[in-house]
Amino acid sequence: MIDDRRERDESLMRKAILLAEFGRGRVEPNPRVGAIVARGDRCVGRGWHARFGGPHAEPNALAEAGDAAEGATVYVTLEPCAHEAKKTPPCTQALIDAKVARVVIAAEDPNPQTTGLGSRRLQEAGIEVTTGVLADEAAKLNPRFEHWLSSGRPFVIAKWAMTLDGKIADVERGSKYITGPDSRRLVHEIRGSVDAVAVGVGTVLADDPDLTVRDVTSTREPVRVILDSTLRTPVLARVVTSSEVMPTWIVTTARASAEKRQALESAGCRVLVTEAEAGHVDLGAAFRLLKAEGLSRILLEGGGEVHTSAFRAGVVDHVMAFVAPKLLGGRAAPGPLGGDGVRLIADPLPVEEWTTTPLGEDVLLEGFIDPA
Ligand code: AOF
Ligand code: ZN
């Protein structure tokens, strides 16, 4: 009987782990989490954490189960959260309110705000709790989460769009419409899932982008961040003139003039001063500052010089390259990583958990960079 229960627990937890995988690339730095609501062997609700800032796995699974959740067993790959002051209400409360009878947990939440507390809250409410079922497999779902928690850095996604021959713009630096509508739609979806969209001032000067979120229903509005060591951002740039509608923060160094700062602040931007490194914004320091200001997930959209500095500073966690079936050619046409000819890093930087996704005619290549 005991063995039967253990076998069933492991079999349903294995399914919950598969569900958790669906969050890969869309929830980080949050952990990937899956949950199943079961009555005996029968699964009556499935859920996973699908996007950063969105609902956690448990409320998604409980919603599918509806009234069938009462008296059911819930399998969840990570200890349900119990801490307040987050983007979502605590999952322990949702499980208690749904009157589930038992919760089976794979791994403890390494987040010090909730470690152990999730299980305790459930037990105090009279729910039977079993922990450690397939704990090792579940821990593999989130290889970088614990490190990120103590890093003091935001999770940074470096994104670019390029032609089949690796060009992000033509020889005249024109970069409009390299990729197709499906890729552009996903970019807007990702923008709607981050705390900030960041670019270097070079991109503002070359393309005058507005970096807004379009064509997707999003409840989150990212801050636009410009990395600009000497405040060359024009007061008439679109990111500046629209700063009343959508916040724009400019990260600069002590090299910037007080007059320029004053002009950009009067135009509605927030200017943050950080350390310089070889005359440029020190990206390590800049991102630590942005994390301290509450930004946890940042989409870095280039250009090539900023991307190179970010890789060199070891602050990139996730790479997304959209590749279009087009050829541009031209020796002087830029690629996604600029720099001055010095090798980016001593050895090639490995990309982990590599995946490829067709997006209409384009292909998305993405993966993760292990922290140094
Ligand atoms: C869960 N279920 O599916 C996940 C959990 O900012 P928030 O509100 O999304 O909360 C993030 C924290 O919640 C994260 O640091 C981790 O402790 C926990 N993640 N917990 O019960 C989930 N993704
Ligand atoms: Zn939760």
Side-chain angles (χ1 to χ4, degrees):
M1 181 60 201
I2 300 257
D3 280 355
D4 276 4
R5 177 153 125 153
R6 195 192 170 87
E7 228 164 77
R8 174 193 293 163
D9 284 354
E10 291 193 354
S11 150
L12 286 162
M13 190 61 83
R14 206 157 276 128
K15 292 198 172 93
I17 289 173
L18 291 175
L19 294 179
E21 291 279 0
F22 290 135
R24 180 198 293 194
R26 303 298 172 260
V27 300
E28 295 85 0
N30 271 358
R32 306 162 192 164
V33 183
I36 282 191
V37 184
R39 302 194 67 97
D41 286 330
R42 204 161 58 87
C43 167
V44 295
R46 274 160 292 253
W48 60 94
H49 187 34
R51 67 187 245 142
F52 182 78
H56 284 179
E58 300 89 322
N60 284 337
L62 290 171
E64 191 179 283
D67 292 342
E70 187 169 342
T73 297
V74 176
Y75 294 85
V76 54
T77 59
L78 188 80
E79 176 182 10
C81 62
H83 50 306
E84 308 283 346
K86 303 178 303 115
K87 296 170 206 75
T88 56
C91 292
T92 41
Q93 197 53 51
L95 291 162
I96 294 166
D97 293 347
K99 302 195 177 67
V100 308
R102 179 172 176 242
V103 175
V104 182
I105 298 166
E108 233 184 17
D109 188 343
N111 186 342
Q113 287 180 297
T114 203
T115 313
L117 190 62
S119 299
R120 206 159 64 238
R121 283 279 153 78
L122 295 171
Q123 279 163 336
E124 281 164 6
I127 295 172
E128 183 191 348
V129 175
T130 305
T131 55
V133 174
L134 300 187
D136 292 347
E137 282 92 328
K140 285 189 203 127
L141 282 170
N142 298 300
R144 300 163 203 90
F145 180 50
E146 208 167 338
H147 181 277
W148 178 81
L149 279 172
S150 59
S151 71
R153 290 204 300 105
F155 183 89
V156 174
I157 307 158
K159 168 252 150 183
W160 59 78
M162 66 184 189
T163 59
L164 181 57
D165 57 328
K167 308 294 188 188
I168 61 163
D170 61 27
V171 285
E172 271 140 20
R173 308 267 147 169
S175 63
K176 288 258 175 322
Y177 308 121
I178 285 187
T179 47
D182 293 25
S183 296
R184 289 208 296 274
R185 198 185 150 71
L186 181 59
V187 168
H188 281 277
E189 218 171 283
I190 302 280
R191 282 184 187 168
S193 82
V194 294
D195 294 324
V197 176
V199 293
V201 65
T203 298
V204 174
L205 293 170
D207 302 342
D208 194 17
D210 57 25
L211 303 175
T212 50
V213 182
R214 279 188 297 267
D215 307 329
V216 286
T217 41
S218 162
T219 47
R220 293 167 59 74
E221 186 188 72
V223 171
R224 295 171 299 180
V225 170
I226 316 298
L227 303 159
D228 180 0
S229 53
T230 56
L231 291 183
R232 287 186 296 148
T233 300
V235 274
L236 291 178
R238 292 163 74 168
V239 283
V240 177
T241 55
S242 61
S243 59
E244 303 292 351
V245 196
M246 215 170 145
T248 298
W249 297 2
I250 307 184
V251 182
T252 191
T253 66
R255 291 174 65 208
S257 80
E259 296 77 57
K260 199 66 209 285
R261 177 176 181 160
Q262 165 85 72
L264 288 164
E265 282 175 341
S266 302
C269 298
R270 178 166 181 217
V271 177
L272 300 165
V273 181
T274 191
E275 290 150 48
E277 146 105 9
H280 296 289
V281 169
D282 177 331
L283 289 187
F287 282 125
R288 278 195 303 278
L289 176 63
L290 294 172
K291 176 73 174 73
E293 291 290 332
L295 308 183
S296 291
R297 175 169 157 99
I298 298 183
L299 180 66
L300 185 60
E301 299 213 29
E305 300 302 318
V306 172
H307 276 148
T308 302
S309 307
F311 282 107
R312 207 175 261 155
V315 298
V316 178
D317 299 287
H318 183 184
V319 185
M320 299 180 86
F322 294 83
V323 185
K326 290 172 188 168
L327 295 165
L328 261 174
R331 196 175 295 122
L337 299 184
D340 51 13
V342 179
R343 273 209 342 217
L344 179 58
I345 23 178
D347 298 303
L349 196 53
V351 179
E352 310 288 345
E353 300 190 74
W354 185 238
T355 54
T356 61
T357 314
L359 285 171
E361 293 197 325
D362 304 334
V363 180
L364 167 62
L365 309 171
E366 64 184 315
F368 296 84
I369 309 286
D370 282 340

